[in-house]
């Protein structure tokens, strides 16, 4: 296969100017407030020893990808040491919270010749797994050259693959297993020229997540704050979602002045901007220990790890990342907790999930703050529905069986 010109340019540039990726990685590490002594991991330098025996390397870029691996990881960890890499500190925190005890974590190495070589020389994975996306050309090539069995898990439809088909065909042509979230994703991959023998559609791994267990202290605090008031939550919001959330809540308050919004931004650092934008409303900020009173109109939970408690408290949730370019967040977790799920229109990363839940009466996509306010008025006083049940547990077992056949 002839290497595409774009990949040739990439390999040449990152070989002669590796400082470009080094500089970007350092900035990202500092911006995420990750431990400074672990920056070397992004340069391929391990900070933990490799144990003897088989090792499975699983790369899950951030929180969403880690969530996709939650049900699968214990089955892998039974057969081999599990090493997980993430690109973000929030992904690292989530991995530590939900993956099996004993799982090793390192930050993702940059895709330079030296970092790739050092990472693989130290860890020598018997199986390399990439969750959903975040593939790097040099790493894919190095794994193929080493003869390491490699898999892409829970692949979804991708505009990037459609835009650069030859690049993705070269990266994926050596993969032993590619599991797809949907038949559409499988057809797209097959259209690239990927062999149908390595493509499997077992189901969406995210749908196999267990019902989220809420943090007990957060659940008690949220329920005490809500009392008997009409309540809705906005979870995992990004900057582009915030104006829509505030406009919808102001609209709700005009009709239901006693309503309370439980707001959990994706990144706690957004709290200052949210507070500034909501100056006309009574807001209590959880990280500052501000008490919720009968006058409070927003409880801003700018804390981490409390989404499960929000899902267990509010009967309807707006999921963020859906009015901007983030591509949405998984609706399966709140649906399993009994929430009705509302979202903006931009859910490319979870298009199949929202289509499924919409058909089954658990979710609605909306295109404006006005539509969001109308939907909230409808669903805010409803009790939690019977839990949405997934039939995707078989996807986990089938995926694990296929993968573990490559582990010595």
């Amino acid at each position: 296969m002839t290497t595409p010109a774009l990949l040739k340019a990439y390999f040449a540039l990152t070989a002669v100017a590796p400082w470009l990726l080094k500089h970007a990685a350092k900035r990202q590490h500092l911006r995420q407030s990750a431990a400074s002594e672990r920056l070397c991991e992004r340069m391929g330098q391990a900070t933990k020893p490799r144990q003897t025996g088989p090792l499975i390397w699983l790369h899950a870029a951030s929180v969403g990808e880690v969530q996709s691996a939650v049900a699968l990881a214990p089955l892998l960890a039974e057969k081999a040491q599990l090493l997980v890499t993430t690109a973000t500190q929030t992904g690292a925190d989530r991995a530590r919270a939900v993956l099996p005890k004993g799982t090793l974590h390192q930050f993702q190495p940059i895709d330079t010749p030296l970092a790739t070589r050092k990472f693989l020389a130290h860890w020598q994975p018997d199986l390399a797994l990439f969750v959903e996306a975040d593939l790097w050309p040099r790493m894919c090539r190095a794994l193929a050259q080493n003869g390491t069995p490699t898999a892409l898990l829970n692949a979804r439809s991708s505009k990037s693959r459609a835009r650069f088909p030859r690049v993705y065909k070269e990266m994926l042509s050596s993969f032993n297993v590619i599991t797809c979230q949907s038949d559409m994703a499988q057809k797209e991959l097959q259209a690239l020229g990927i062999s149908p023998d390595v493509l499997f559609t077992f189901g969406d791994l995210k749908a196999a997540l267990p019902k989220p267990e809420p943090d007990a202290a957060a659940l008690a605090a949220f329920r005490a704050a809500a009392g008997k008031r009409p309540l809705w939550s906005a979870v995992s919001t990004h900057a582009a979602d915030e104006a829509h959330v505030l406009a919808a809540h102001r609209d709700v308050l005009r009709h239901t002045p006693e309503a309370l919004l439980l707001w959990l931004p994706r990144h706690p650092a957004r709290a200052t901007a949210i507070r500034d934008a909501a100056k006309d409303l009574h807001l209590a900020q959880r990280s500052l220990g501000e008490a919720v009173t009968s006058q409070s109109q927003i409880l801003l939970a700018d804390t981490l790890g409390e989404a499960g408690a929000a899902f267990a408290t509010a009967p309807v949730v707006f999921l963020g990342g859906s009015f901007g370019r983030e591509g949405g967040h998984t609706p399966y977790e709140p649906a399993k907790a009994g929430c009705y799920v509302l979202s903006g229109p931009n859910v490319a990363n979870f298009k199949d999930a929202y289509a499924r839940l919409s058909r089954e009466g658990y979710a609605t996509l909306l295109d404006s703050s006005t539509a969001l306010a109308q939907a909230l008025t409808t669903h805010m006083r409803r009790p939690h529905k019977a839990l949405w049940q997934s039939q995707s547990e078989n996807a986990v077992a089938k995926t694990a069986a296929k993968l573990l056949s490559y582990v010595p």
Side-chain angles (χ1 to χ4, degrees):
M1 185 187 338
T2 303
T3 301
L6 187 61
L7 273 185
K8 288 181 179 179
Y10 170 85
F11 287 133
L13 181 62
T14 52
V16 300
W19 58 268
L20 291 170
L21 292 180
K22 288 181 180 179
H23 180 68
K26 184 174 181 180
R27 286 185 60 191
Q28 182 184 39
H29 197 80
L30 294 174
R31 189 168 61 247
Q32 295 171 2
S33 300
S36 59
E37 63 270 19
R38 296 189 63 186
L39 175 61
C40 62
E41 295 173 12
R42 299 186 189 267
M43 310 306 156
Q45 179 65 51
T47 57
K48 293 180 180 178
R50 189 208 192 279
Q51 301 174 12
T52 57
L55 181 140
I56 297 174
W57 168 34
L58 185 145
H59 176 61
S62 194
V63 174
E65 290 80 7
V66 171
Q67 288 297 100
S68 291
V70 167
L72 179 64
L75 302 181
L76 303 178
E78 286 180 1
K79 302 296 183 182
Q81 173 66 59
L82 188 59
L83 167 70
V84 172
T85 57
T86 65
T88 67
Q89 180 62 50
T90 53
D93 294 338
R94 192 61 180 160
R96 183 171 58 250
V98 300
L99 296 185
K101 185 178 180 181
T103 298
L104 302 177
H105 175 268
Q106 300 279 275
F107 285 107
Q108 175 191 20
I110 58 177
D111 204 42
T112 62
L114 181 59
T116 299
R117 188 164 59 249
K118 289 169 69 174
F119 179 88
L120 293 178
H122 178 82
W123 292 109
Q124 301 178 33
D126 295 282
L127 176 65
L129 311 176
F130 297 86
V131 182
E132 295 186 6
D134 204 33
L135 300 171
W136 289 84
R138 181 170 279 106
M139 180 60 76
C140 290
R141 174 176 282 190
L143 289 167
Q145 291 172 342
N146 290 352
T148 305
T150 309
L152 174 62
L153 306 181
N154 223 37
R156 57 178 183 253
S157 296
S158 167
K159 291 182 179 179
S160 296
R161 285 201 304 266
R163 196 174 297 125
F164 305 107
R166 294 185 63 212
V167 169
Y168 277 90
K169 179 182 179 181
E170 172 148 329
M171 285 197 294
L172 293 170
S173 60
S174 62
F175 276 49
N176 302 82
V177 176
I178 301 176
T179 68
C180 305
Q181 293 184 15
S182 65
D183 292 335
M184 179 62 70
Q186 180 168 347
K187 290 176 182 176
E188 290 174 3
L189 285 159
Q190 196 164 339
L192 292 182
I194 305 300
S195 169
D197 294 339
V198 305
L199 296 172
F200 304 90
T201 303
F202 296 141
D204 188 347
L205 292 177
K206 277 192 171 77
L209 280 169
K211 176 188 173 185
E213 288 298 327
D215 177 84
L219 180 62
F222 292 165
R223 286 181 171 172
K228 301 291 186 180
R229 299 169 65 178
L231 177 72
W232 70 285
S233 64
V235 176
S236 291
T237 59
H238 297 255
D241 305 304
E242 290 165 7
H244 293 277
V245 170
L246 280 170
H249 193 50
R250 291 188 182 102
D251 199 354
V252 166
L253 289 171
R254 280 193 286 272
H255 303 286
T256 313
E258 71 275 24
L260 178 68
L261 164 59
L262 175 56
W263 194 340
L264 284 69
R266 183 72 166 187
H267 303 291
R270 293 298 306 169
T272 301
I274 291 172
R275 187 159 197 147
D276 288 344
K279 284 181 178 178
D280 59 318
L281 300 175
H282 295 282
L283 182 149
Q285 190 168 338
R286 181 159 165 75
S287 66
L288 300 181
E290 295 175 345
V292 177
T293 70
S294 60
Q295 300 302 309
S296 300
Q297 296 164 312
I298 299 174
L299 170 54
L300 179 58
D302 54 329
T303 41
L304 292 173
E306 298 181 348
F311 298 150
T313 305
V316 57
V317 59
F318 167 78
L319 283 185
S322 54
F323 277 109
R325 298 181 177 180
E326 293 79 15
H329 294 294
T330 176
Y332 288 128
E333 288 182 76
K336 286 195 172 186
C339 289
Y340 193 88
V341 183
L342 302 174
S343 172
N346 304 330
V347 292
N349 295 342
F350 300 95
K351 181 170 59 176
D352 294 326
Y354 276 99
R356 178 180 181 180
L357 291 177
S358 295
R359 286 195 306 269
E360 297 175 5
Y362 284 83
T364 301
L365 296 182
L366 307 158
D367 60 4
S368 68
S369 56
T370 300
L372 175 58
Q374 291 171 348
L376 290 169
T377 301
T378 300
H379 295 285
M380 202 163 45
R381 294 181 182 274
R382 60 177 283 282
H384 275 55
K385 292 182 69 171
L387 302 184
W388 176 78
Q389 297 295 324
S390 165
Q391 300 300 318
S392 295
E393 284 71 16
N394 286 339
V396 176
K398 290 178 179 178
T399 301
K402 179 61 66 176
L403 298 176
L404 292 175
S405 67
Y406 291 95
V407 178

